[in-house]
Amino acid sequence: MERIRIKDVAREAGVALSTAALALRDDTRLREETRRAVRDAAARLGYVYDRSAAVMRSGKSHTIGLLVCEITNPFYAELTAGVEEALDAAGYVTILANTSESVARQKRMLERFREQPVDGVLIMPATGTPATLLDELDKVHLPYATVVRGFRRGAHAGPDDRAGTRLATEHLLRLGHRRIAFLGGGRKNSVSTGRWDGYARAMAKAGLATEHMPCPTDIGEASRLTRALSASGPTALVCFNDSVAFGAMLGLMRAGRKPGVDVAVTGFDDIREAAAWYPSLTTVCVAPRAIGQAAARVLLQQMANPGSTPIREILKPTLIIRESCGAAGGGPPDTR
């Protein structure tokens, strides 16, 4: 059977060959009615878009590589959904890869993205990634933007981590807590540094000492650490993220202590499970889906204007007060 070609689709839809090509790429410069007519004609004929041929003609693949550092984290799942939504609306396909916090694997994935080839990459740098990575990407003329984690330069989209933990710490201080510990942030990257800094600055402003309890972003490990906390320990915990906070609350309950009553707990990210947890989690909301959309927007602008100054979108966090800090649904925590 002879293969259906784009010229056949154009004839069936009654449009020019160039119009059919734009419509099949879902180019928004065309009216929706025209795009729909071409798509309907393609469906009737059984046409399949030949992307490899399009790449050879235009030099563009309309694909974007997305490197996630920790795909099992629910935060990154929501962020990925935001990236894909924004890129799909712009006519791009997303290729997802997980680095599992390995710099070596990250390098291999970037090489494979170039082999595809992709038109640009969104990177959540693995812990330990040197800033020279950006020089390497510039050298091969691959447009990029970093997401959530980043460097002092380059296109970037992410939350204001310092402002987020500052909000959480100041809230606990207003509730009367004076021994507030920071749980998590054991890895050295821009996010852990920023979140620790926001907490530490708020404590210093209040004239109080900091306490750091390093912990991986693992519910089980956070549960183990907090279960061992003595009654004379911190009365409040500022957790690195929601997963750590979930583990902290489990650990407290297993030790016979109630989050929001005996020890106040705050998280960071406001993933979907935060409101449904027991007790519901007070957390810093940074809207991961919105961050993903912002990252896609920043990269697309960089691709459209390669010589321009890199854009950096820093999203403002908000504190969502629920039961785990003791300020909602049952009064303030016991700060004895």
Side-chain angles (χ1 to χ4, degrees):
M1 183 178 177
E2 187 177 348
R3 182 175 179 178
I4 303 298
R5 300 186 181 279
I6 193 170
K7 64 181 181 181
D8 302 314
V9 176
R11 187 184 307 113
E12 176 74 11
V15 299
L17 182 61
S18 58
T19 301
L22 290 172
L24 291 170
R25 291 202 300 270
D26 206 26
D27 195 305
T28 54
R29 288 174 294 181
L30 296 178
R31 293 183 304 168
E32 173 57 28
E33 308 91 89
T34 303
R35 285 181 281 160
R36 188 184 305 113
V38 173
R39 288 196 299 267
D40 290 346
R44 287 195 300 271
L45 295 175
Y47 173 78
V48 177
Y49 185 62
D50 188 346
R51 187 167 295 276
S52 60
V55 172
M56 291 182 66
R57 289 193 302 268
S58 67
K60 300 291 183 183
S61 65
H62 284 84
T63 59
I64 299 295
L66 172 60
L67 272 176
V68 181
C69 59
E70 195 179 356
I71 202 168
T72 55
N73 188 324
F75 174 86
Y76 289 118
E78 290 189 43
L79 187 148
T80 297
V83 168
E84 289 186 322
E85 287 171 2
L87 290 178
D88 177 55
Y92 286 83
V93 172
T94 307
I95 302 176
L96 176 65
N98 179 37
T99 66
S100 299
E101 293 287 13
S102 166
V103 175
R105 180 177 170 84
Q106 177 176 267
K107 183 177 181 179
R108 289 198 305 274
M109 293 301 105
L110 282 170
E111 289 172 353
R112 289 170 188 172
F113 280 163
R114 290 183 61 205
E115 291 167 0
Q116 288 298 319
V118 298
D119 294 335
V121 290
L122 289 169
I123 310 169
M124 301 169 203
T127 299
T129 300
T132 52
L133 171 67
L134 305 187
D135 297 322
E136 294 169 13
L137 295 173
D138 286 335
K139 191 179 298 183
V140 296
H141 305 291
L142 181 61
Y144 65 85
T146 53
V147 190
V148 180
R149 299 176 183 177
F151 305 98
R152 293 184 180 275
R153 64 182 180 87
H156 177 75
D160 189 332
D161 292 299
R162 287 178 177 80
T165 47
R166 178 177 53 79
L167 285 173
T169 308
E170 288 175 347
H171 175 68
L172 294 171
L173 289 167
R174 284 194 296 270
L175 291 176
H177 294 282
R178 289 300 175 264
R179 282 201 64 188
I180 305 170
F182 185 88
L183 178 61
R187 292 172 174 150
K188 192 72 174 176
N189 55 54
S190 64
V191 171
S192 57
T193 299
R195 293 184 187 181
W196 165 262
D197 192 53
Y199 154 80
R201 289 188 185 189
M203 293 294 282
K205 187 176 180 181
L208 299 172
T210 59
E211 296 183 51
H212 191 195
M213 299 168 59
C215 173
T217 54
D218 176 77
I219 290 179
E221 187 63 17
S223 175
R224 186 189 67 78
L225 283 171
T226 49
R227 190 173 183 176
L229 281 176
S230 66
S232 61
T235 63
L237 297 172
V238 174
C239 296
F240 175 77
N241 65 12
D242 290 348
S243 293
V244 171
F246 294 157
M249 290 196 285
L250 285 173
L252 289 169
M253 287 189 283
R254 284 170 178 159
R257 309 175 76 192
K258 188 174 180 181
V261 176
D262 299 304
V263 179
V265 178
T266 66
F268 201 114
D269 290 341
D270 195 29
I271 61 176
R272 291 182 182 182
E273 292 82 0
W277 203 258
Y278 179 77
S280 58
L281 179 62
T282 293
T283 187
V284 178
C285 177
V286 291
R289 193 175 291 256
I291 293 173
Q293 293 168 344
R297 185 167 57 247
V298 165
L299 176 61
L300 290 172
Q301 291 176 350
Q302 197 68 21
M303 288 163 56
N305 305 283
S308 63
T309 302
I311 298 169
R312 300 179 68 86
E313 283 201 33
I314 307 300
L315 282 70
K316 183 180 179 181
T318 56
L319 183 66
I320 307 298
I321 300 172
R322 300 191 181 103
E323 296 172 318
S324 69
C325 66
D334 183 354
T335 56
R336 62 183 182 278

